[in-house]
Amino acid sequence: MLLRLITFLWICGYTCLSYAQDPGMQLLSKDQIFHGRNPAMPLPKNYAIGLPEGSGRLYNEAGSLDDWWLTTADGKRSVSLQNIWQTLDRKQYRSEAGWVIRSLYFGKKFKRFQLGVYHTFQGDLDFKYPKDLVGLLGYGNYGFLQQEPLAKTQALDIRPEISITVYEAIGLEGGFFINDRLSVGAGVQYLAGLYNFTSDVKVLEVDIRDPLTLKANEDWTLHTADLVDQFSIDSLVLDTDRRALGTHPGIAFNAGVSYSVPAFQLGIQVRDLGSIQWKGISYSRKAATNYSGVLIDDFLDVNQNVFNQISDTLRAIANVTRSAQKYTSALTGKIILDGQYHISDHWSVGGSWYYNKNNVRSFWMLSGGIVFKPFPILQVGSQLSYDVHQSFNIGVMGALRLGFLNMYLSVDQVTALFQPASIDRLSARAGISILWGK
């Protein structure tokens, strides 16, 4: 059942876009109203409304979608874990995914200060896994024994690390203009936790050296809140009913400083310093288990009682302890430092440094880019970034202003616009806002 749940989470990593860092938005930040904007930066107009915006980030260390999805001769697509296993090295791999959907933002700028209120819906998934786990999922214990020489000499360590958090946030931000150049800002968010799943796997070893005997050494706990409704050796029931504003409260804080003159601007901010208090359930197991299988020569002539006996035996020896539990999960805190120099009315250059950290991993990115403004209504640009995964990415961004209506787009991998399935990482954002006043 643990492997079944891991497979489900693995697939989820490709169905949701982690907290986005699309560096292009920092180069457009002075004129655009996007989620994650420095709260100290003055609004470009007296009134600002941020309409729906979507952003996301995806990373898979084990390859691109083209590597995972295989097309058969008749045009059908499927995932072959067996083929994927053959391409992996013996190490831990990581998949990350997440998204932020802003439903609405409203901001008002006064003479010496500004206020803004917003609502977002956010999710984050991190999954770390070893090569042997992929092999067992793809081949089964008997098939994997024929493929992996190491499995014939020792037990296999298949410990995964999993973290999923989904929540809503209602935020209030304010900025104070110290003078015409310097401003400071801060914000607070009320967090409404919707779903959480966190693993704490100390030991998970499987010995398959004997084809008819499965030995497992386990010491693990799964913490979940409103995501897993039932978990046992033969049942996994997910609870996906969405609850208005959740049932698990939390709080987070943002703060920033902005310095701006006609020639250049600088900014630094920290975001999402907070946590959510979960009232959930823990499933745990600590045991050393030996299970002797049954050799079946002819599946067409096997008695159904044999399968019933196997199922009953598994339930008896693989019990999972269930208990109510309260626990806390921290958000992915972020630090963003950005700067921009305006060469002329049409050209500007800039760069940013981004860092975030949660319980599973830390991430950083350096980027530099250029923006061209051929007309007052249009901005286009490109940026080059380098991140913790030792990856260089070339991205593009643009913004179009039609009267009081603004539309913007930023992608950190330009190839995603033409061949989205050929990349193994992506950060992107698209949104609409309305600005009017002085």
Side-chain angles (χ1 to χ4, degrees), residues 2 7 14 31 74 101 168 176 227 278 372 408 428 433:
L2 182 60
T7 305
Y14 280 115
D31 299 320
D74 57 0
I101 298 175
E168 291 180 87
F176 178 70
L227 181 60
W278 301 96
F372 177 50
Y408 50 88
S433 62

Side-chain angles (χ1 to χ4, degrees), residues 179-402:
N179 53 44
D180 293 339
R181 300 181 177 184
L182 182 64
S183 58
V184 295
V188 60
Q189 300 177 74
Y190 170 76
L191 310 177
L194 299 176
Y195 308 109
N196 180 262
F197 182 94
T198 305
S199 69
D200 181 13
V201 185
K202 296 181 176 64
V203 178
L204 186 56
E205 294 181 338
V206 177
D207 190 335
I208 60 174
R209 281 176 280 186
D210 183 347
L212 293 181
T213 301
L214 186 67
K215 298 180 180 180
N217 187 17
E218 307 167 64
D219 184 2
W220 51 264
T221 301
L222 306 179
H223 308 284
T224 179
D226 293 340
L227 181 60
V228 177
D229 188 61
Q230 181 179 338
F231 181 79
S232 65
I233 189 62
D234 62 349
S235 177
L236 171 62
V237 179
L238 297 178
D239 180 3
T240 57
D241 293 335
R242 184 174 178 275
R243 295 158 178 80
L245 292 183
T247 57
H248 312 279
I251 192 169
F253 300 94
N254 311 321
V257 178
S258 175
Y259 182 83
S260 179
V261 295
F264 67 91
Q265 64 192 61
L266 297 172
I268 184 172
Q269 60 172 318
V270 293
R271 303 194 64 86
D272 298 334
L273 302 180
S275 61
I276 301 176
Q277 307 295 319
W278 301 96
K279 184 179 180 181
I281 301 295
S282 67
Y283 299 90
S284 61
R285 176 172 169 77
K286 184 176 182 179
T289 304
N290 294 334
Y291 175 74
S292 297
V294 178
L295 181 63
I296 298 176
D297 295 323
D298 188 354
F299 271 99
L300 298 179
D301 193 37
V302 68
N303 191 304
Q304 180 64 35
N305 291 330
V306 173
F307 293 105
N308 293 338
Q309 180 183 356
I310 294 173
S311 180
D312 292 340
T313 303
L314 287 174
R315 290 191 186 96
I317 67 175
N319 61 300
V320 177
T321 302
R322 183 182 188 274
S323 60
Q325 186 182 47
K326 294 181 180 180
Y327 61 98
T328 300
S329 67
L331 299 190
T332 302
K334 310 170 186 66
I335 302 175
I336 304 173
L337 174 65
D338 66 276
Q340 189 172 15
Y341 176 71
H342 304 289
I343 301 174
S344 67
D345 292 338
H346 298 288
W347 293 94
S348 61
V349 295
S352 64
W353 175 72
Y354 175 92
Y355 175 82
N356 70 28
K357 181 176 177 58
N358 62 17
N359 294 330
V360 178
R361 55 101 177 100
S362 61
F363 174 85
W364 59 261
M365 175 186 288
L366 285 171
S367 67
I370 186 169
V371 175
F372 177 50
K373 191 174 183 179
F375 312 105
I377 65 170
L378 178 65
Q379 296 182 71
V380 293
S382 180
Q383 78 275 344
L384 175 67
S385 62
Y386 180 76
D387 60 35
V388 68
H389 304 300
Q390 300 180 348
S391 170
F392 281 102
N393 306 301
I394 299 177
V396 294
M397 64 279 190
L400 179 64
R401 174 176 295 181
L402 301 175

Side-chain angles (χ1 to χ4, degrees), residues 86-232:
Q86 296 175 1
T87 67
L88 301 181
D89 297 323
R90 184 161 296 282
K91 68 171 190 176
Q92 291 284 102
Y93 285 86
R94 171 169 284 139
S95 294
E96 305 169 10
W99 39 264
V100 179
I101 298 175
R102 182 194 64 193
S103 58
L104 185 66
Y105 169 92
F106 178 77
K108 175 68 172 69
K109 183 171 69 172
F110 301 91
K111 184 176 181 179
R112 296 298 303 272
F113 68 96
Q114 66 186 25
L115 292 174
V117 61
Y118 59 89
H119 171 267
T120 61
F121 183 53
Q122 307 184 31
D124 195 10
L125 180 149
D126 294 287
F127 179 31
K128 190 175 180 181
Y129 55 93
K131 177 180 180 178
D132 288 334
L133 178 58
V134 181
L136 283 173
L137 289 171
Y139 290 98
N141 66 305
Y142 183 78
F144 191 53
L145 184 63
Q146 316 309 312
Q147 299 290 330
E148 177 52 68
L150 189 66
K152 299 177 181 180
T153 61
Q154 66 181 54
L156 304 175
D157 185 352
I158 60 171
R159 284 177 296 171
E161 296 180 26
I162 308 167
S163 176
I164 300 176
T165 302
V166 180
Y167 66 96
E168 291 180 87
I170 298 176
L172 175 66
E173 291 185 338
F176 178 70
F177 314 137
I178 297 176
N179 53 44
D180 293 339
R181 300 181 177 184
L182 182 64
S183 58
V184 295
V188 60
Q189 300 177 74
Y190 170 76
L191 310 177
L194 299 176
Y195 308 109
N196 180 262
F197 182 94
T198 305
S199 69
D200 181 13
V201 185
K202 296 181 176 64
V203 178
L204 186 56
E205 294 181 338
V206 177
D207 190 335
I208 60 174
R209 281 176 280 186
D210 183 347
L212 293 181
T213 301
L214 186 67
K215 298 180 180 180
N217 187 17
E218 307 167 64
D219 184 2
W220 51 264
T221 301
L222 306 179
H223 308 284
T224 179
D226 293 340
L227 181 60
V228 177
D229 188 61
Q230 181 179 338
F231 181 79
S232 65

